[in-house]
């Protein structure tokens, strides 16, 4: 069994968040938005706090963003993630204020605000996970 | 009813405080730790277990209220409650105790936190450690974090620290001053786990990185131990053994729009550096009729040094972004304008998930701290971030 096999996979069939993983399986990034007022609903949820609507949709966005923050972890915290590894937090170009995290091996050279682009990694069981790397 | 009738200012008091030894391996059940700390708090108040009719616990505690009531053989339990999540709980637990007392549901409430936090379940490895199968769902949102290796609150706080450095120019040395300050207080406290281990700035800067930019001394000490306090009405408190410590005010609060899940979703908020402590500070000072200038000593929740740094800003002791220079100025040291974490805090005394901060606040208000602030009459005590938070102001009875 490789280290990758030990990594946890996301739940992909939750009613509130499943559309994100369905889009990822198609090689796309999608965010949940209100169909009535356009409010972005992130982290994804079914109810729009902006206008009270329950009509929402998954909107495909560009797989690009900028680096908001990151950390390089030097200790093993969970099997499957061998240090050093780096977690990035990326703000989407198409949806300012909407952020996603990604995993990178090692200690990459990073700078706040640098352009990042999404890739689509096939994880254990065929689950597709959006990842981020310097553009 | 007048406003005065509705508020809780100075109407309840902490009359007893207790703790166990802190260690990395207690060799005892969490229930035994909770029982020992509770008995210590009850005895400190000059009361008997029969006097306790309320219990409030933290939602993360493995000891349930009825477990503890059984261990203490309480015959008169008439109220129980819980707050959370986790380290944000203690101020909310105290708020429930006050609410129960002022609404006539209880007269004498035991508030506790107990954990084998080092030898048992280590929170630093994340709440979902060991969970097999697909992660997340059901409103936890962990599917957006754990599959990426973001499993621990320390990693999330490291990213907030990185962002604070980028936005405000905060430095590692400034974070180090918080770790060193807490260590100095621990070095004066024979009960602290770091009582005999010094920490210089050179030591700090050469210590191992855990998750950039945070180093080992930026992290709290996962601990086996327990703390408890006894709360009663100010009127009844005059009959107890020790000088009562008045609860001037308590407040809980969130950021606008709240945050779901546990720590990691803080990164998904509109502004991750804007924390619920901003909301709580405003509400707390309003309820207390006080401001930061009235605070003589503070016990800041310190799961990480960066957590203290942002609270120095949020509770109004310096301007937003100035937490670093303020921490490095000496202001938070023993002779400074705002001595902090006088037992050594989570960082160097022990991590009892914010409950030890209340115990130390009580000792300060009685003049019994090992780093007593001369003539201290008010103490700010805060609870955990970043999800939601709470805080209170304790006051020496006149």
């Amino acid at each position: 069994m490789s280290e990758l096999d030990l990594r946890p996979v996301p739940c992909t069939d939750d009613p509130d968040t499943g559309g994100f993983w369905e889009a990822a399986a198609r090689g796309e990034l999608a965010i949940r938005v209100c169909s009535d007022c356009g409010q972005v609903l992130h982290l994804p949820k079914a109810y729009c706090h902006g206008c009270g609507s329950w009509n929402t949709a998954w909107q495909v966005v560009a797989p690009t963003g900028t680096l908001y923050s990151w950390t390089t972890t030097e200790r093993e915290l969970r099997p499957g993630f061998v240090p050093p590894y780096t977690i990035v937090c990326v703000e989407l170009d198409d949806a300012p204020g909407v952020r996603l995290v990604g995993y990178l091996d090692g200690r990459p050279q990073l700078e706040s605000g640098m352009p990042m682009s999404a890739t689509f990694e096939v994880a254990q069981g065929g689950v597709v996970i959006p990842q981020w790397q310097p553009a | 009813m007048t406003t005065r009738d509705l508020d809780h200012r100075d109407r309840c008091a902490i009359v007893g405080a207790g703790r166990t030894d802190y260690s990395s391996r207690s060799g005892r059940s969490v229930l035994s730790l909770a029982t020992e700390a509770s008995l210590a708090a009850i005895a400190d108040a000059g009361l008997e277990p029969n006097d306790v009719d309320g219990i409030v616990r933290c939602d993360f505690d493995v000891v349930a209220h009825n477990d503890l009531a059984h261990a203490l053989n309480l015959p008169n339990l008439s109220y129980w409650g819980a707050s959370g999540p986790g380290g944000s709980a203690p101020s909310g637990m105290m708020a429930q105790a006050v609410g129960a007392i002022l609404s006539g549901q209880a007269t004498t409430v035991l508030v506790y936190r107990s954990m084998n936090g080092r030898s048992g379940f280590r929170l630093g490895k994340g709440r979902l450690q060991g969970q097999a199968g697909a992660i997340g769902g059901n409103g936890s949102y962990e599917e957006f974090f754990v599959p990426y290796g973001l499993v621990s609150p320390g990693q999330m706080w490291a990213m907030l620290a990185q962002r604070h450095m980028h936005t405000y120019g905060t430095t590692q040395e400034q974070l180090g001053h918080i770790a060193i300050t807490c260590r100095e207080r621990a070095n004066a406290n024979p009960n602290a786990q770091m009582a005999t281990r010094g920490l210089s700035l050179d030591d700090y800067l050469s210590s191992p990185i855990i998750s950039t930019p945070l180093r080992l001394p930026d992290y709290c000490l996962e601990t086996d131990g327990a703390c408890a306090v006894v709360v009663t009405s100010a009127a009844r408190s005059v009959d107890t053994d020790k000088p009562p410590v008045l609860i001037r005010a308590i407040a809980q609060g969130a950021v606008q729009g709240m945050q779901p899940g546990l720590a990691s979703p803080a990164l998904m908020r509109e502004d991750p550096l804007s924390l619920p402590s901003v909301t709580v500070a405003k509400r707390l000072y309003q309820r207390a009729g006080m401001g930061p200038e009235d605070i003589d000593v503070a016990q800041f929740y310190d799961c990480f040094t960066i957590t203290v740094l942002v609270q120095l800003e949020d509770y109004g002791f310096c301007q937003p972004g100035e937490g670093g220079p303020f921490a490095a100025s000496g202001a938070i040291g023993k002779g400074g304008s705002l001595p902090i974490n006088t037992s050594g805090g989570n960082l160097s005394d022990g991590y009892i998930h914010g409950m030890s901060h209340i115990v130390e606040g009580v000792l300060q208000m009685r003049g019994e701290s090992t780093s007593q602030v001369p003539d201290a009459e008010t103490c700010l005590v805060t609870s955990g971030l970043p999800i939601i938070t709470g805080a209170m102001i304790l006051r020496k009875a006149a």
Side-chain angles (χ1 to χ4, degrees), chain B residues 47-393:
Chain B
L47 297 172
E48 300 289 337
N50 288 3
D51 296 315
V52 173
D53 58 4
I55 291 184
V56 185
R57 67 187 280 271
C58 168
D59 63 347
F60 279 17
D61 211 298
V62 302
V63 175
H65 35 73
N66 55 305
D67 301 342
L68 184 58
H70 171 257
L72 295 170
N73 192 30
L74 299 186
N76 297 316
L77 191 66
S78 61
Y79 176 87
W80 51 89
S83 187
S88 71
S91 294
M93 288 153 63
M94 297 296 285
Q96 289 188 26
V98 165
I101 291 162
L102 296 185
S103 62
Q105 298 180 80
T107 63
T108 308
V109 181
L110 180 64
V111 180
Y112 72 99
R113 179 73 173 107
S114 51
M115 55 210 294
N116 275 330
R118 182 63 174 78
S119 70
F121 190 88
R122 297 181 64 177
L123 288 167
K125 288 184 180 291
R127 284 286 283 174
L128 299 184
Q129 59 189 276
Q131 181 174 320
I135 292 283
N138 289 322
S140 71
Y141 296 105
E142 292 289 1
E143 62 268 47
F144 291 97
F145 307 104
V146 174
Y148 298 95
L150 175 45
V151 303
S152 168
Q155 296 167 299
M156 193 289 302
W157 278 105
M159 283 196 273
L160 288 193
Q162 171 62 42
R163 187 69 191 180
H164 205 279
M165 289 173 165
H166 169 74
T167 305
Y168 298 115
T170 302
T171 66
Q172 292 218 342
E173 286 81 356
Q174 290 166 347
L175 289 173
H177 278 285
I178 293 170
I180 292 163
T181 298
C182 290
R183 186 62 61 86
E184 287 171 350
R185 300 294 81 73
N187 291 160
N189 174 7
N191 291 319
Q193 288 182 94
M194 289 295 182
T196 60
R197 290 171 65 179
L199 183 74
S200 68
L201 190 55
D202 284 347
D203 294 336
Y204 171 84
L205 290 171
S206 59
S207 62
I209 292 275
I210 305 298
S211 202
T212 61
L214 301 183
R215 297 171 179 277
L216 185 60
D218 291 308
Y219 282 64
C220 65
L221 303 173
E222 289 170 308
T223 297
D224 291 5
C227 288
V229 298
V230 175
V231 185
T232 191
S233 67
R236 291 171 66 95
S237 71
V238 296
D239 294 330
T240 56
D241 278 8
K242 292 284 180 72
V245 175
L246 294 174
I247 299 168
R248 177 69 176 180
I250 309 182
Q252 294 175 267
V255 292
Q256 186 181 4
M258 285 295 299
Q259 152 182 347
L262 294 174
S264 296
L267 295 166
M268 304 294 140
R269 295 200 309 237
E270 188 175 339
D271 177 7
L273 287 181
S274 179
L275 291 155
S277 28
V278 175
T279 310
V280 165
K282 188 176 170 191
R283 188 170 293 150
L284 180 69
Y285 290 137
Q286 185 177 33
R287 289 181 179 178
M290 292 179 170
E293 66 282 1
D294 297 311
I295 302 299
D296 295 331
V297 54
Q299 315 298 337
F300 285 113
Y301 189 87
D302 53 339
C303 46
F304 306 98
T305 51
I306 179 66
T307 318
V308 175
L309 192 148
V310 295
Q311 290 179 91
L312 294 170
E313 303 170 6
D314 293 351
Y315 285 96
F317 298 102
C318 58
Q319 293 297 309
E322 294 295 316
F326 185 80
S329 71
I332 61 174
K334 195 178 177 194
S337 58
L338 183 73
I340 70 163
N341 297 18
T342 44
S343 75
N346 285 334
L347 291 167
S348 282
D349 182 13
Y351 173 60
I352 312 293
H353 234 172
M355 201 62 209
S356 54
H357 295 71
I358 300 176
V359 172
E360 176 62 14
V362 169
L363 297 183
Q364 278 289 344
M365 293 299 91
R366 289 181 186 165
E368 296 176 356
S369 171
T370 49
S371 287
Q372 184 61 42
V373 175
D375 304 321
E377 293 185 348
T378 57
C379 182
L380 173 68
V381 180
T382 73
S383 298
L385 297 166
I387 309 165
I388 49 184
T389 194
M392 49 191 211
I393 294 173

Side-chain angles (χ1 to χ4, degrees), chain A residues 14-51:
Chain A
D14 183 82
D16 291 340
T17 65
F20 177 85
W21 305 102
E22 286 172 26
R26 301 190 303 266
E28 294 179 324
L29 274 189
I31 58 173
R32 198 162 189 168
V33 296
C34 175
S35 300
D36 290 330
C37 77
Q39 172 80 44
V40 173
L41 304 169
H42 183 71
L43 294 159
K45 56 181 185 174
Y47 170 72
C48 176
H49 58 273
C51 73

